[in-house]
Structure formats: structure tokens, C-alpha cells
């Protein structure tokens, strides 16, 4: 029996998806890749070496939070951080792509927050352990609707505020790996596929959130998102 018409012994998981601006149809999400330390000033605030290149980690697709929904403060942390990021949504895939070919994969862009249990991340780093518990937990990826896009990627202001106070304020143009390079680098490590999302890294100014905080963020030309920590 093929997977297409298989019967399942338990109910299969719901397909994760994101709303699309100006469309009734939704964008189906396959997986979420994330870039670490892709802005020089953030790399420095995290104690990184200026010569270290960015790198990848991932979150499960169902970490995505629907626009407008609250985010539950997770278990096992006393230091929950915001990381505002430009998100790339792929409509096509491939492996070993050049940066010149990479932008043809882009369906659109969104604004996301890579929510991080910073205390667990620091503990994992000190012990040489993986980052999943620090990065890939439930509701760790709130995102705006996806804006369909053709042409040159966003380069403008990227910002985040907590309770009206601006904490992160930079420009996407400051990314160490530009959007086309991120897709190219990812395609050297994984065969990319339609439905993949890539969180492209955060600028400086990351910091803690607590229950009751109202978080807002945006990327110029792409959109905005807002959520409350509950
Ligand atoms: Mn991040």
C-alpha cells in the first residue's frame, strides 16, 4: 500500500501551514531551518569570534505559531529570549545550488521570532550538547503571514519591541550571509524542498521576555507580527 492511500494506526499529524497575504490558500510548512550568528554585532554579543562563519540548526515545523496567537511561556527556563528574524519561504527545492540560482526557490518572506531558552542554550554549549531543547521547543517560532515576493530580497529595517520599548533595530542588509547565500549554503547540507522555511538570523539586542510582555516586530516591506507571552 502506498503512503498516499495508507490507513494509519493513529490519526496522522495535521499539516502545519502559514497564512499568505492576499491569498485564501495557505503555505504548507515542511521544516524550519535557522541560521545562527548571521549578524556581526549579535555574534559579538553572544561572545563569538569575529572570524566564525554562521551555521545552521533547526526547529520542528509545528513550532510555528499562527499570527495573532499568544505564546505560552515554556517550561524549564528562567531566561526566555526574543530573536527577530527575516523568514524565507521556499516554493521549490534542490541541492548544491549556487547563490545565483538560489533566489528562484523563494515563494515569499515573513517576519518571525526565534524564541530561545537562553539558559538551556548556554548549558548545552558548555557541555557540548545539542541545541534542540534550547531552540526547537513548542511555540518557539511565531511568524507573520507570508508575503509573496519576486525580485531582490528585503534589505531594510528589522526591529522588535517589548511593551513599546525598541530592543532590536538594525537592517537586513547587515546579514553576514545574504539571503541567496543562506539558501545556497543550506542546499550544500540538505536537499531543500517546497515548504521549507529558513529563519535567517537575528541582529543585536536580544533579551529576555516574561509573562505578560507584549512583543511586536517587523521587517520593512515584509510585514509585522505581534504576540503576548502568557
Ligand atoms: Mn536565531
Amino acid at each position: 500500500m502506498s503512503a498516499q492511500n495508507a490507513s494509519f494506526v493513529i490519526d496522522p499529524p495535521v499539516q502545519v501551514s502559514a497564512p499568505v497575504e492576499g491569498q485564501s490558500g495557505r503555505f504548507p510548512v515542511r521544516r524550519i531551518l535557522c541560521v545562527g550568528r548571521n549578524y556581526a554585532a549579535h555574534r559579538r554579543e553572544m561572545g563569538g569570534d569575529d572570524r566564525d562563519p554562521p551555521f545552521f540548526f533547526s526547529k520542528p515545523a509545528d513550532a510555528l505559531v499562527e499570527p495573532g496567537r499568544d505564546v505560552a511561556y515554556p517550561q524549564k527556563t528562567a531566561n526566555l529570549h526574543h530573536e527577530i528574524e527575516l523568514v524565507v519561504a521556499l516554493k521549490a527545492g534542490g541541492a548544491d545550488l549556487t547563490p545565483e540560482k538560489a533566489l528562484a526557490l523563494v515563494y515569499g518572506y515573513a517576519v518571525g521570532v526565534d524564541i530561545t531558552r537562553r539558559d538551556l542554550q548556554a548549558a548545552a554549549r558548555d557541555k557540548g550538547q545539542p541545541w534542540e531543547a534550547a531552540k526547537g521547543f513548542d511555540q518557539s517560532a511565531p511568524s507573520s503571514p507570508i508575503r509573496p515576493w519576486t525580485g531582490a530580497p528585503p534589505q531594510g529595517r528589522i526591529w522588535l519591541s517589548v511593551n513599546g520599548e525598541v530592543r532590536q533595530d538594525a537592517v537586513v542588509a547587515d546579514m553576514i550571509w545574504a539571503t541567496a547565500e543562506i539558501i545556497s549554503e543550506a542546499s550544500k547540507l540538505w536537499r531543500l524542498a517546497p515548504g521549507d522555511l529558513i529563519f535567517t538570523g537575528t541582529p543585536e539586542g536580544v533579551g529576555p521576555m516574561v509573562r505578560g510582555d507584549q512583543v511586536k516586530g517587523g521587517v520593512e516591506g515584509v510585514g509585522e507580527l505581534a504576540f503576548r507571552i502568557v
Side-chain angles (χ1 to χ4, degrees):
M1 187 182 285
S2 74
Q4 277 73 25
N5 49 27
S7 64
F8 296 100
V9 297
I10 60 170
D11 289 340
V14 174
Q15 170 67 56
V16 176
S17 64
V20 177
E21 273 193 22
Q23 304 276 341
S24 56
R26 293 174 63 91
F27 182 88
V29 177
R30 175 173 179 255
R31 63 172 166 192
I32 303 173
L33 298 174
C34 304
V35 183
R37 300 193 180 174
N38 198 27
Y39 289 78
H42 172 63
R43 183 170 58 186
R44 281 195 288 274
E45 78 179 348
M46 294 301 294
D49 188 302
D50 277 356
R51 295 162 297 185
D52 287 343
F55 55 87
F56 290 98
F57 59 94
S58 71
K59 294 175 184 268
D62 64 3
L64 207 67
V65 180
E66 183 78 7
R69 293 268 172 85
D70 293 341
V71 172
Y73 196 96
Q75 315 95 303
K76 295 283 187 184
T77 183
N79 196 17
L80 188 70
H81 272 208
H82 54 77
E83 297 190 355
I84 187 75
E85 312 205 356
L86 173 70
V87 180
V88 187
L90 301 187
K91 65 182 178 189
D96 292 321
L97 302 165
T98 62
E100 291 70 32
K101 295 257 169 101
L103 291 181
L105 273 56
V106 174
Y107 175 79
Y109 295 94
V111 182
V113 179
D114 165 16
I115 298 183
T116 303
R117 292 194 277 214
R118 194 71 75 200
D119 41 4
L120 298 194
Q121 185 189 33
R125 190 177 50 206
D126 292 347
K127 294 176 185 166
Q129 293 177 346
W131 277 15
E132 268 72 13
K135 289 289 196 178
F137 53 93
D138 296 344
Q139 300 186 38
S140 61
S143 175
S144 74
I146 294 169
R147 172 162 290 182
W149 195 284
T150 54
Q155 296 284 294
R157 184 181 180 221
I158 180 169
W159 60 275
L160 178 139
S161 69
V162 178
N163 303 325
E165 176 198 351
V166 175
R167 296 252 191 101
Q168 295 188 267
D169 197 353
V171 290
V172 174
D174 282 347
M175 291 198 300
I176 295 167
W177 283 346
T179 299
E181 293 170 311
I182 290 168
I183 297 167
S184 170
E185 292 294 329
S187 78
K188 296 173 186 172
L189 291 163
W190 299 277
R191 175 170 290 280
L192 301 175
D196 287 351
L197 296 181
I198 307 176
F199 279 57
T200 59
T202 197
E204 70 276 20
V206 300
M209 304 177 289
V210 297
R211 284 185 185 83
D213 278 350
Q214 180 69 43
V215 181
K216 291 185 180 175
V219 174
E220 187 181 345
V222 175
E224 296 188 357
L225 89 174
F227 58 88
R228 207 160 55 92
I229 301 288
V230 297

